[in-house]
Amino acid sequence: MSRPKFAVLDDYQNVAAAHFAHITSRVDISYFPETLDPRDPAQQKTLVDRLRPFDVILAMRERTPFSADTIAALPCLKLLLTTGNRNLSLDLDALTKRGIPVAGTVGRPPGVDSTVQHTWALILALARHVARDDAAVKEGRWQGSLGVNLSGKTLALLGLGKLGAQVGKIAVLAFGMKAIAWSANLTQEKADEQALAQGLPVGSFEAVASKTEFLQRADVLSLHYVLSERSRGIVGASELASLRPGAMIINTSRGPLIDQSALLETLNAGRVRGAALDVFDPEPLPADSPWRTTAWGQDGRSEVLLTPHMGYGEEDLINGWYKEVAANLERWLDGKELQIRLN
């Protein structure tokens, strides 16, 4: 009897192999670290041709989407594994109809969430011009910019779930910032519940009813919203126009939450102080993307700081996920019940 074929997708740092080394005698493993975008017909064909022979596929979070069309074109697929406890880019209905189980992972290290830490790395790096000044010193130059003091400034949280609340807690306790929040259904009662959950007194997070007023008050706008068809482009041209000239935009959530064309226009015109972005659409960014090729911070353009979707790119988290996936794959090979079933 032939061994199952197992495909590992989108392991950018090449860390997965060590976690599957002990089962190489039971499965044939292939690694495909370069992401393909199925929205492009040519890449979709390449993706389907690549994955057609595989019985088991591991998808890293939301890097490679699996639509109903893709799933239908994979006749050998018997098990889809993913990292994290949800993956919004998988068509679970289509997988369920095919009788293909989907299993995820839990493993998050205790303490402040990885994305929260990265959010603050971006806020501080943008406010203190860390990337620009690092480049200047290495090129033989010296001071050329002044940092922003965050104390007393207003952090505007677009979305006040667990991650947004953790970001807000640090703003209040570490920097003495004011923390305001907005989402479609946020009330002051819900904002107070989030404050209490973070060990803060009632009133630490102010729920602002008007999105326009919320944006007008922002010194730092940080996005922590779930992407859906309703929230796609929730920050568009009119919302960006509401920001004050000294505002900074931070997005560690999802790229399509902000209208990319409107954001590029705003930053090219220098209408805000700057933006620090960890998420884009598509990902990875094409080599000729204007995000990569524009001379940001020059000729009147806003400062722009970019990172390659590293909010959850943390050693303990990613290695923990792969360890859990390996254990789930072994359970499947042994005919045992899968853990963290998503369908």
Side-chain angles (χ1 to χ4, degrees):
M1 185 174 180
S2 61
R3 295 185 297 183
K5 296 181 181 298
F6 175 40
V8 178
L9 307 186
D10 307 325
D11 175 18
Y12 297 156
Q13 288 82 18
N14 191 30
V15 298
H19 298 282
F20 299 109
H22 65 290
I23 55 173
T24 53
S25 62
R26 304 184 66 187
V27 291
D28 291 330
I29 308 177
S30 299
Y31 296 90
F32 302 101
E34 294 184 0
T35 300
L36 294 170
D37 185 351
R39 292 174 296 183
D40 177 87
Q43 293 188 57
Q44 165 71 350
K45 182 180 184 305
T46 301
L47 179 69
V48 168
D49 290 344
R50 171 187 289 178
L51 298 181
R52 187 174 285 117
F54 289 95
D55 304 283
V56 183
I57 298 172
L58 167 58
M60 166 57 78
R61 283 294 298 269
E62 294 161 14
R63 293 177 183 174
T64 297
F66 280 80
S67 66
D69 289 343
T70 300
I71 294 160
L74 303 177
C76 298
L77 185 60
K78 300 177 181 65
L79 171 65
L80 185 63
L81 299 167
T82 186
T83 53
N85 56 18
R86 68 177 179 178
N87 187 335
L88 299 180
S89 66
L90 306 180
D91 190 325
L92 291 179
D93 287 341
L95 289 158
T96 301
K97 288 175 183 176
R98 277 274 309 275
I100 299 168
V102 182
T105 64
V106 176
R108 280 191 175 272
V112 178
D113 187 274
S114 174
T115 300
V116 172
Q117 295 184 43
H118 196 73
T119 299
W120 273 104
L122 292 181
I123 293 172
L124 292 169
L126 186 61
R128 309 304 300 194
H129 303 298
V130 171
R132 182 205 293 179
D133 288 348
D134 172 76
V137 174
K138 290 174 179 175
E139 292 168 1
R141 293 179 283 119
W142 199 235
Q143 291 188 15
S145 56
L146 296 173
V148 177
N149 188 337
L150 295 174
S151 298
K153 296 290 196 299
T154 297
L155 172 66
L157 299 161
L158 200 151
L160 192 63
K162 181 181 177 181
L163 298 187
Q166 285 191 10
V167 171
K169 177 181 180 178
I170 294 170
V172 172
L173 294 182
F175 297 99
M177 298 180 75
K178 301 180 183 71
I180 63 174
W182 179 91
S183 66
N185 299 305
L186 184 66
T187 64
Q188 187 58 52
E189 182 181 5
K190 291 179 180 177
D192 289 340
E193 289 174 359
Q194 289 286 25
L196 290 171
Q198 295 299 322
L200 297 173
V202 166
S204 295
F205 301 147
E206 178 189 348
V208 181
S210 164
K211 183 163 69 165
T212 299
E213 179 192 344
F214 163 80
L215 293 164
Q216 290 172 340
R217 292 172 59 184
D219 292 305
V220 179
L221 171 64
S222 189
L223 279 72
H224 304 281
Y225 222 85
V226 174
L227 179 63
S228 67
E229 286 309 309
R230 288 182 58 193
S231 64
R232 187 177 295 270
I234 197 168
V235 177
S238 62
E239 285 80 12
L240 292 167
S242 297
L243 294 170
R244 60 183 67 176
M248 294 180 285
I249 302 165
I250 314 295
N251 191 2
T252 56
S253 186
R254 291 291 181 270
L257 291 170
I258 307 179
D259 183 309
Q260 298 294 289
S261 296
L263 181 57
L264 282 164
E265 181 182 351
T266 297
L267 296 169
N268 270 302
R271 297 191 193 115
V272 294
R273 186 185 299 274
L277 309 173
D278 186 48
V279 287
F280 308 90
D281 186 30
E283 291 182 359
L285 278 176
D288 61 352
S289 166
W291 292 115
R292 293 183 187 264
T293 59
T294 304
W296 297 114
Q298 300 178 28
D299 301 322
R301 300 182 191 89
S302 302
E303 197 77 22
V304 172
L305 184 66
L306 308 175
T307 55
H309 204 153
M310 294 302 293
Y312 66 97
E314 187 180 75
E315 292 179 0
D316 292 344
L317 180 62
I318 300 298
N319 280 288
W321 278 350
Y322 282 132
K323 182 179 179 180
E324 287 186 74
V325 169
N328 239 351
L329 179 56
E330 285 187 275
R331 295 182 70 84
W332 181 77
L333 291 169
D334 293 336
K336 296 179 181 178
E337 184 177 351
L338 292 163
Q339 296 180 328
I340 320 300
R341 278 289 299 267
L342 303 186
N343 66 345

